[in-house]
Amino acid sequence: MPSVCVARPRRFLLASAALTSFAALDMPAALAQQAREALPAVEVSPPQSRKQAKPTGRDAASARRAAAHRPAAAAATARPVVPNAAAPTPLNSNAVAESASRLGLTVRQTPATVEVISAETIREQGYRTVSDVAQGAAGVTAGDNPAEPSAFSMRGFTNSQINTLYNGIKIGPQNMTSRIMDTANLEAVEILKGPASLISGEGAAGGAINFVTKQPHTGPIRNEADFSWDSLNSFRAHYGSGGSTNVQGLDYRFDVSRSSLNGFADDTNTKTLDVSGQLNYRISDSLKVWGAIEYREDRGKAYWGAPLVPVAFSGSHATAGIVSGTYVSNFNGTNLGRITIDDRTFNTNYNVLDNRNVAQEVWLRGGFELKLAPDLTLKSQAYAYGAERSWFNNEVEAFNTTTNTVDRSRFYVAHSQRLVGNITDLVWDANIAGIDNRLVTTLSSSYLDFVRPGAANFPGDSVDLVNPDRGFYGLLTTKQQTARIDNEALSFEDRLKLTRTFSLIGGLRAEHIGLDRNSTDVNGLENAGFPFSKSWAPVTGRIGYTWEALPGLTFFSQYATGADISANNIFLLGPTQNLDLTTARTYETGVKQVLWDNRAEWSLAAYDILRKNVYAAAGGQTLNIAGRQESKGVEVAGSIRPIEPLRLWGNIAYVDARYADYDFVGGSFSGNMPPNVPRIVANAGASWRLFTPWPVEVGITGRHVGDRTNSDANTVTMNAYTVGDVHAFVDIPKTAFNAVDQARVTFRVRNFTDKRYAIWGDPFYPDQILLGAPRTYEISATFKW
């Protein structure tokens, strides 16, 4: 057996977990989003009366229907109103995002750019996966590259420079741990832009994206079911149920969803299964306990893209408008000259016949909320997470100009991951000399064990560009890597309301990260430099203000810092790599306004982000040091309902992201753009609702993404593209189905112009480009009762 480094002492991880969460609940679990119902608004002194915002459109109708059907007893015992229970606004700025602040602030009260995409928006826009959701946000792009599924780019940063959170909990670098996820079990997706280390810790140079599962509610039981099918023979199905049980104070939520999404390339498919459930039990007015469990699974046969091909070779089959530029293969060294995507490869799958991408994940979360005094609340949450993942594919597709064939290379890797942790918050509401103040002190700790068997050899071959003989993986020889990471953090976040309209908001996080790494060769012998240990102690934070200059009009600014591992991936960090931390800082200012009796809302933000001491992919499997990465940009978003039937919305983002001090032997990439970062991203949509006996709505959405590059070399451009979707749905009234309160049938056409475009490029595999899906047709039905 190879020697394995000894795990670090778990320090106060086990102590804090035992003394807090497990004292109240036996199952090791954690809540990421419990403050969606827990804390009141940050008002300590008696609030002045303020006019209640008025719901509009379908949100107002839903509120009226809920009030009409709510039993009197339930209404009498309803919980106090909390920020996210306020009337919804067109941009959802009344929602509370715990991934942006632990203070229980709404989006409008937070001195940062935050977007919360609700389950209702997910349903109306037809977002099937979390990548679909992210692309609807301002300035965010996504690509389901099978090496790093659900990869995101925003504000000039990509992949592991953006923390991916599950109910507020980070499980590791995005480019190692994220998976394709269906949206059916989600209550919301929260997107925080810019350095976000204060809340989610190391790794959040570009921001954080938080996936929130559906939560229990107090009141009558509500059920829902959803079904869809599309022209690629994909299907999705979901059933959910939640509400109050016969046990006083006990509420539940249960969801199960299954999907089979077929790709446009030959023999590609992703199957997902997600089962989630949660119980909330309010023992008394001062104590609530809860527990949650979730199982997720995805199994896929992956599409790794279309190879870049010389224009001279493709001839009449060369395409324009997808990619442009020149390229020398990073894999086989041959010069392709001017490149294109050959139209004969649009639907070609170069993966081996026995390929697979598989992941199974289990979450246990739980905790309690205890009101120690009228102004003091203790919250604790514990979690346990386990995952098994594996990739078994041909991953490289490199055209060879010497043989006029496609060179291929296999890769295998598996993960066995175990994570346990605890997060404890102490919330103190005070009035100091007549000034309202809320302070949240957070103690968090986690311990992660990560084992990574991987390929020790990389079988390869060459196949024809057209109609390739895909073959099988071949001989597999493995070796093993391990990482053990312990993390402890103490943070403080405070909101001081200097006046009724002006607040100072800030926080500080002191973190300790300990890493033990080992790596063995094919014979189980330790590689040179292993095992080794390293620790870091970053201190990060945020300071900012919000000023409600006029009712509904809020100005904000912030200065925030972040830190992450310079080598981009703490799980794979080697002893010869730079072991220092990368640091990031941002200056941001903006304005948010809701107006016209809640019928219109807009926001604007300008930012300047600097990240120092970064590793970047020079192309292929090579990493170089880039001294700095600079990003400046502007984002604008708005939504309006000028008349009751019509809704218009849109967002546009501009970013200028560049490398600086990026020099290496043989050249310099200073001034180049990072991969997968467009200068311009814009979304827009319009819908018109006909208030007939069976209400009908028709709508259109459009998306424009500017030019991007596929590597730091910037020699290949993935050209700008514009795509659009159209939809029509009919709401079937209860009179048609007595057993169903609401029913909706939707017809949707995705990419209705059948645009062919490049959606993503993996800088570690720059010989190939992932293409976007062509036109598809979809029909779906949803029922609520």
Side-chain angles (χ1 to χ4, degrees):
M1 293 290 291
S3 64
V4 179
C5 50
V6 178
R8 293 175 175 271
R10 302 187 185 182
R11 296 180 178 87
F12 57 86
L13 163 66
L14 298 180
S16 61
L19 292 176
T20 54
S21 299
F22 291 104
L25 194 64
D26 272 339
M27 64 186 290
L31 177 69
Q33 201 59 24
Q34 62 179 345
R36 288 187 173 274
E37 76 162 42
L39 295 174
V42 189
E43 299 282 356
V44 180
S45 57
Q48 300 177 5
S49 62
R50 181 170 294 182
K51 184 178 179 181
Q52 177 79 16
K54 179 183 177 183
T56 60
R58 288 186 298 279
D59 295 323
S62 299
R64 289 193 296 269
R65 284 194 298 270
H69 290 86
R70 187 183 299 124
T77 60
R79 293 193 178 97
V81 174
V82 293
N84 75 312
T89 67
L91 292 181
N92 210 17
S93 65
N94 274 345
V96 173
E98 275 235 330
S99 59
S101 172
R102 296 191 183 278
L103 292 167
L105 304 179
T106 66
V107 168
R108 200 161 57 252
Q109 295 167 335
T110 304
T113 299
V114 186
E115 294 186 60
V116 178
I117 298 93
S118 66
E120 181 68 15
T121 299
I122 290 172
R123 182 173 69 113
E124 292 202 351
Q125 295 298 322
Y127 298 146
R128 298 180 296 180
T129 68
V130 294
S131 293
D132 293 341
V133 177
Q135 291 186 105
V140 183
T141 58
D144 283 325
N145 170 21
E148 302 169 356
S150 301
F152 306 110
S153 174
M154 63 186 184
R155 293 197 169 181
F157 300 92
T158 57
N159 293 359
S160 59
Q161 298 156 22
I162 300 168
N163 271 352
T164 299
L165 311 175
Y166 301 89
N167 292 305
I169 301 166
K170 179 184 174 182
I171 61 173
Q174 180 278 334
N175 60 350
M176 290 285 285
T177 60
S178 66
R179 304 295 300 182
I180 292 176
M181 188 194 307
D182 196 280
T183 59
N185 292 47
L186 295 180
E187 177 181 281
V189 175
E190 303 169 352
I191 301 176
L192 171 63
K193 312 285 186 65
S197 290
L198 173 63
I199 305 300
S200 58
E202 175 271 326
I209 298 181
N210 185 33
F211 305 119
V212 184
T213 53
K214 290 182 176 177
Q215 305 287 299
H217 72 273
T218 298
I221 291 175
R222 297 198 297 263
N223 302 283
E224 57 189 82
D226 310 89
F227 309 92
S228 71
W229 176 87
D230 72 12
S231 54
L232 293 174
N233 205 30
S234 302
F235 76 86
R236 299 172 67 224
H238 162 251
Y239 169 75
S241 179
S244 298
T245 69
N246 292 330
V247 178
Q248 181 67 30
L250 182 63
D251 305 328
Y252 81 96
R253 179 73 199 192
F254 171 78
D255 290 272
V256 57
S257 62
R258 185 68 187 258
S259 71
S260 178
L261 303 178
N262 291 324
F264 60 90
D266 300 333
D267 188 30
T268 54
N269 171 272
T270 299
K271 294 181 172 67
T272 68
L273 171 66
D274 193 338
V275 182
S276 59
Q278 181 167 329
L279 291 174
N280 290 352
Y281 185 32
R282 187 165 293 280
I283 297 173
S284 67
D285 290 341
S286 60
L287 176 62
K288 183 185 81 171
V289 298
W290 58 271
I293 186 170
E294 183 173 6
Y295 173 79
R296 286 200 303 264
E297 177 181 304
D298 67 87
R299 298 179 178 273
K301 297 179 75 66
Y303 165 70
W304 289 82
L308 300 174
V309 179
V311 171
F313 177 85
S314 290
S316 62
H317 293 283
T319 58
I322 301 178
V323 295
S324 58
T326 60
Y327 182 61
V328 175
S329 172
N330 200 272
F331 184 74
N332 56 43
T334 62
N335 190 342
L336 278 64
R338 290 178 55 236
I339 49 86
T340 187
I341 299 295
D342 193 298
D343 63 15
R344 294 170 293 182
T345 68
F346 279 167
N347 304 104
T348 303
N349 184 1
Y350 293 90
N351 208 343
V352 291
L353 292 169
D354 54 347
N355 77 89
R356 64 179 183 272
N357 279 14
V358 180
Q360 296 171 304
E361 303 168 274
V362 176
W363 276 102
L364 297 173
R365 309 191 310 272
F368 67 88
E369 180 177 331
L370 175 64
K371 202 165 189 63
L372 300 171
D375 59 354
L376 198 62
T377 302
L378 178 67
K379 300 189 301 177
S380 189
Q381 44 203 346
Y383 56 89
Y385 170 78
E388 302 290 333
R389 313 180 191 96
S390 67
W391 289 256
F392 187 79
N393 298 273
N394 183 89
E395 298 192 1
V396 175
E397 304 158 9
F399 190 85
N400 189 316
T401 58
T402 302
T403 61
N404 287 336
T405 58
V406 176
D407 293 340
R408 303 193 304 172
S409 179
R410 320 281 199 265
F411 187 76
Y412 163 80
V413 69
H415 298 169
S416 181
Q417 182 178 354
R418 301 293 180 268
L419 172 70
V420 294
N422 174 264
I423 303 171
T424 298
D425 298 326
L426 184 64
V427 184
W428 180 40
D429 290 312
N431 187 287
I432 304 171
I435 299 175
D436 290 341
N437 187 76
R438 169 170 286 180
L439 172 67
V440 179
T441 303
T442 302
L443 178 66
S444 62
S445 52
S446 66
Y447 175 81
L448 184 149
D449 185 87
F450 189 86
V451 179
R452 184 181 185 264
N457 67 323
F458 305 94
D461 56 15
S462 298
V463 296
D464 293 335
L465 178 70
V466 182
N467 298 321
D469 180 5
R470 293 169 54 193
F472 296 91
Y473 188 97
L475 178 67
L476 171 64
T477 305
T478 63
K479 58 184 178 180
Q480 181 166 287
Q481 299 172 319
T482 65
R484 289 176 172 82
I485 303 165
D486 65 81
N487 182 289
E488 299 93 23
L490 177 65
S491 65
F492 305 90
E493 192 176 6
D494 190 87
R495 185 197 196 201
L496 183 66
K497 295 198 69 174
L498 296 178
T499 71
R500 293 287 302 166
T501 60
F502 187 89
S503 297
L504 289 177
I505 301 167
L508 197 67
R509 178 187 180 101
E511 188 168 9
H512 170 267
I513 307 165
L515 170 68
D516 292 302
R517 282 275 288 114
N518 201 4
S519 177
T520 61
D521 62 17
V522 66
N523 298 311
L525 301 176
E526 290 171 347
N527 290 316
F530 289 93
F532 73 91
S533 298
K534 176 69 177 178
S535 64
W536 302 266
V539 177
T540 57
R542 173 172 69 195
I543 183 68
Y545 72 85
T546 59
W547 175 40
E548 191 174 9
L550 296 171
L553 176 65
T554 301
F555 293 90
F556 74 92
S557 296
Q558 71 155 329
Y559 170 79
T561 61
D564 59 303
I565 304 303
S566 60
N568 189 262
N569 196 325
I570 192 171
F571 288 166
L572 300 182
L573 192 64
T576 61
Q577 293 175 293
N578 189 332
L579 301 181
D580 293 333
L581 284 173
T582 287
T583 58
R585 65 98 182 116
T586 184
Y587 298 102
E588 181 176 6
T589 189
V591 60
K592 308 169 186 179
Q593 185 179 22
V594 59
L595 67 164
W596 205 7
D597 198 20
N598 240 22
R599 291 166 58 185
E601 186 170 15
W602 67 280
S603 66
L604 179 147
Y607 59 87
D608 181 327
I609 304 175
L610 175 63
R611 185 170 180 250
K612 296 181 179 179
N613 184 40
V614 303
Y615 263 93
Q621 304 298 307
T622 304
L623 286 170
N624 282 336
I625 281 284
R628 300 198 312 274
Q629 187 174 339
E630 302 169 350
S631 180
K632 300 180 176 71
V634 178
E635 297 170 356
V636 182
S639 180
I640 185 172
R641 191 181 292 276
I643 56 177
E644 186 64 18
L646 177 64
R647 177 175 177 258
L648 305 170
W649 66 273
N651 55 60
I652 185 168
Y654 170 83
V655 61
D656 182 12
R658 300 286 178 182
Y659 288 121
D661 299 335
Y662 191 169
D663 302 317
F664 53 92
V665 177
S668 173
F669 289 156
S670 294
N672 285 9
M673 297 178 63
N676 295 301
V677 175
R679 283 183 178 272
I680 296 287
V681 178
N683 295 281
S687 61
W688 183 274
R689 188 167 178 83
L690 304 172
F691 294 98
T692 54
W694 286 24
V696 174
E697 182 170 305
V698 293
I700 183 170
T701 60
R703 176 171 178 79
H704 175 80
V705 177
D707 289 347
R708 296 134 294 141
T709 66
N710 75 328
S711 74
D712 290 344
N714 285 192
T715 61
V716 173
T717 298
M718 298 181 289
N719 297 135
Y721 66 89
T722 302
V723 293
D725 299 348
V726 294
H727 74 265
F729 62 71
V730 56
D731 286 330
I732 303 172
K734 185 175 181 179
T735 54
F737 295 107
N738 290 331
V740 177
D741 295 325
Q742 300 175 41
R744 173 177 292 178
V745 177
T746 304
F747 180 72
R748 193 179 305 272
V749 183
R750 303 180 189 273
N751 188 6
F752 64 85
T753 62
D754 201 25
K755 172 71 174 177
R756 291 287 185 171
Y757 61 97
I759 192 171
W760 198 261
D762 186 344
F764 287 97
Y765 296 132
D767 285 85
Q768 61 222 50
I769 298 294
L770 269 75
L771 301 180
R775 178 169 53 226
T776 57
Y777 305 90
E778 179 186 84
I779 187 168
S780 62
T782 62
F783 305 93
K784 294 184 178 183
W785 68 97

